[in-house]
Amino acid sequence: MEQTQSKKRLGALPLALCGLFTALVAIGAFLQIPVPYFDYFTLQFFFVVLAGMLLGRSYGALSVGVYVLLGLAGVPIFAAGGGIGYVIRPSFGYLLGFIAAAFVTGWLTQRSKTKSFAACLGAALGGFAATYLIGLTYKYIILNFVSGTSATWLVVLLSCFPLDMPGDLLLCAAAAFVGSRMHKALKGRLPSC
């Protein structure tokens, strides 16, 4: 009986952490840092990468996937609202990329024995690559084949500068710092360990 209750508690912790990171990713969409002469960037990517780093590939991807599903169901938790119509927005690919980013970051973090800053940064950069590979491809397809706008790959890539990619690289470093510290402080008590 005691073992069954212990297993339930172990299963409950990762699910509770998934719910927490789903909420943090949603909140991150609205934690916006204004940049003079440009628009702003959000802290959403920070929480996406941190979810993978701390929860591992499965639970990290699950937490971000639930966020995306809630937004598609109509809960206005995306940076520009929500609803199923979001799938035809050129930026929706980044949301799909977030799910892959949490998975890749979690997978790379789980493979690392040290969970050091360098290991966490490498994992975060893997998540960064997954996000932009999916996001840019989706944006290109939507612009050229759905919305009727003609955009070259170069134009799509340049649309991420000078704000998005550099900002997300800084968020990778910030997440690696926090993630490595949390791994050290919690010493194997996280689902990804």
Side-chain angles (χ1 to χ4, degrees):
M1 178 90 170
E2 239 178 84
Q3 273 187 329
T4 306
Q5 287 178 340
S6 176
K7 284 182 183 179
K8 283 183 184 177
R9 275 186 257 138
L10 289 175
L13 176 62
L15 291 178
L17 291 173
C18 279
L20 173 66
F21 272 95
T22 297
L24 288 172
V25 172
I27 291 166
F30 300 100
L31 294 176
Q32 301 171 347
I33 299 171
V35 178
Y37 307 109
F38 296 102
D39 203 358
Y40 59 85
F41 72 93
T42 70
L43 296 181
Q44 196 169 29
F45 187 68
F46 172 82
F47 293 115
V48 166
V49 171
L50 203 57
M53 218 174 277
L54 299 178
L55 302 181
R57 64 180 184 237
S58 300
Y59 287 118
L62 176 64
S63 67
V64 179
V66 168
Y67 163 75
V68 172
L69 289 175
L70 286 170
L72 289 175
V75 180
I77 55 176
F78 296 152
I84 194 69
Y86 223 86
V87 297
I88 60 170
R89 293 178 63 98
S91 61
F92 181 70
Y94 295 105
L95 293 172
L96 295 176
F98 283 172
I99 299 168
F103 183 89
V104 169
T105 302
W107 181 71
L108 291 171
T109 303
Q110 286 174 303
R111 289 179 50 104
S112 166
K113 293 184 190 316
T114 65
K115 313 290 191 267
S116 66
F117 172 79
C120 288
L121 181 60
L125 292 174
F128 173 87
T131 297
Y132 279 93
L133 178 66
I134 294 169
L136 291 170
T137 302
Y138 194 93
K139 186 181 227 180
Y140 178 84
I141 291 168
I142 293 295
L143 289 175
N144 286 289
F145 302 108
V146 176
S147 71
T149 305
S150 180
T152 64
W153 279 105
L154 182 60
V155 168
V156 172
L157 179 62
L158 290 176
S159 71
C160 297
F161 289 97
L163 185 61
D164 297 330
M165 282 186 162
D168 285 343
L169 287 171
L170 288 174
L171 292 178
C172 284
F177 176 77
V178 172
S180 63
R181 296 289 208 149
M182 290 187 78
H183 274 287
K184 184 177 179 182
L186 296 174
K187 293 183 183 147
R189 286 181 254 164
L190 292 166
S192 68
C193 296

